Amino acid sequence: MLHKDEMIDAFRRTVQRRAELPPQTAMLIGEAEAISYETLQDQLGRPIHGETEWTTLSVPEPAAKLGAAIEEKLEPLVPDALDQGEKPFIRPFMVEMADDHYALDTSRARELLGWAPKLRLAQVLPALVASLKKDPATWYERHGIAAPAWVQTAAAGTAQIDAIRTRHEAEFRNAHRQHLWAHFFNVFLGIWLIASPPILGLESSLLAWSDTIAGIALVVFAALSLSWRLAWARWVCAAIGARLMSAQRCS
């Protein structure tokens, strides 16, 4: 992590001391001890959602990569009314990097430039969250991020913005809870797809493998859909269902 002002300061010091520096040299700049993604998620999720306990759900790496790849491929088919035309941020290659640990040795920048980071992300997170919660609509617009539907329906800068977010989230959770049966049904359907090739005696190995893979994917994403935080997985289940219907029609 590196604040833009401190990056510019490092560049300025490099230009000012260019005559003293070796012809070729490499330096690392940034926070020497980076915050893990899990810690970052906790320190953002708890104050934003007002929860003292913020559970992080672990997803197996193959399932996460598959989900990210499917989400990326399906984006052109998703109506803009649902995703506002915004492409998924997570890419499959990012999944492999999620467990990497970044520890920078900034000693050369300190010795050659007299540079050391003064700002720490952990120190400014409360101010960032406060800015977001004070005026979400302006915050999303300023950072070029598509705002959630509940933000678009709220007036910018109103004192009731937290209440609007809380009410929207409660309604979403309640609706999700009422339709959990559909996700359990999809899990059982996926199990049936996995077991069906030997039961039905399918002669085509390609069709058998296709049903098995679709069944495994359906079980995984239907199980993920049981969490309201991973409700996007239900669209993957819908895509699997559409694929099965088209395959049945083609056969």
Side-chain angles (χ1 to χ4, degrees):
M1 303 295 180
L2 179 65
H3 196 281
K4 288 191 294 185
D5 291 346
E6 296 197 327
M7 176 187 68
I8 294 173
D9 179 49
F11 288 166
R12 182 183 296 109
R13 289 170 182 261
T14 302
V15 173
Q16 291 173 345
R17 306 185 186 202
R18 60 189 181 277
E20 307 168 12
L21 296 175
Q24 293 185 357
T25 185
M27 290 174 283
L28 296 176
I29 59 175
E31 292 190 24
E33 297 181 1
I35 302 177
S36 69
Y37 290 123
E38 181 178 6
T39 301
L40 186 60
Q41 178 170 296
D42 290 342
Q43 293 189 6
L44 286 172
R46 288 169 181 164
I48 289 177
H49 295 276
E51 299 180 6
T52 55
E53 295 295 331
W54 185 259
T55 304
T56 301
L57 302 177
S58 297
V59 179
E61 183 175 318
K65 292 181 67 175
L66 176 62
I70 293 176
E71 190 177 21
E72 181 181 9
K73 296 298 183 183
L74 291 180
E75 194 280 330
L77 303 178
V78 178
D80 289 347
L82 296 177
D83 65 0
Q84 302 177 50
E86 190 174 64
K87 296 182 179 180
F89 175 74
I90 301 299
R91 298 290 190 271
F93 74 89
M94 296 181 180
V95 177
E96 300 178 359
M97 302 167 58
D99 293 330
D100 290 349
H101 176 67
Y102 299 91
L104 303 183
D105 180 3
T106 60
S107 59
R108 298 196 71 186
R110 185 169 57 253
E111 295 169 0
L112 297 176
L113 303 178
W115 180 93
K118 299 180 178 64
L119 295 173
R120 294 289 189 274
L121 180 61
Q123 297 172 348
V124 300
L125 278 181
L128 293 175
V129 173
S131 174
L132 167 63
K133 299 184 72 173
K134 181 180 179 181
D135 189 351
T138 302
W139 191 94
Y140 278 104
E141 182 180 0
R142 184 169 65 244
H143 292 87
I145 303 174
W150 68 268
V151 171
Q152 297 177 359
T153 58
T158 60
Q160 293 80 21
I161 198 71
D162 255 358
I164 296 174
R165 180 196 59 77
T166 302
R167 184 173 66 250
H168 169 80
E169 189 172 286
E171 292 173 352
F172 183 85
R173 289 193 188 190
N174 184 53
H176 178 267
R177 193 181 304 110
Q178 291 177 353
H179 295 86
L180 285 178
W181 62 270
H183 307 310
F184 283 111
F185 182 83
N186 282 337
V187 170
F188 289 123
L189 178 59
I191 295 174
W192 162 250
L193 286 172
I194 297 172
S196 62
I199 294 176
L200 300 178
L202 295 179
E203 297 181 359
S204 173
S205 59
L206 180 61
L207 183 58
W209 273 110
S210 176
D211 285 354
T212 301
I213 294 174
I216 294 173
L218 187 58
V219 169
V220 170
F221 286 100
L224 293 178
S225 300
L226 292 172
S227 169
W228 69 272
R229 293 194 182 101
L230 300 175
W232 57 265
R234 69 190 190 276
W235 295 108
V236 180
C237 296
I240 295 173
R243 177 260 161 207
L244 289 172
M245 293 175 64
S246 63
Q248 182 67 25
R249 183 174 297 177
C250 292
S251 63

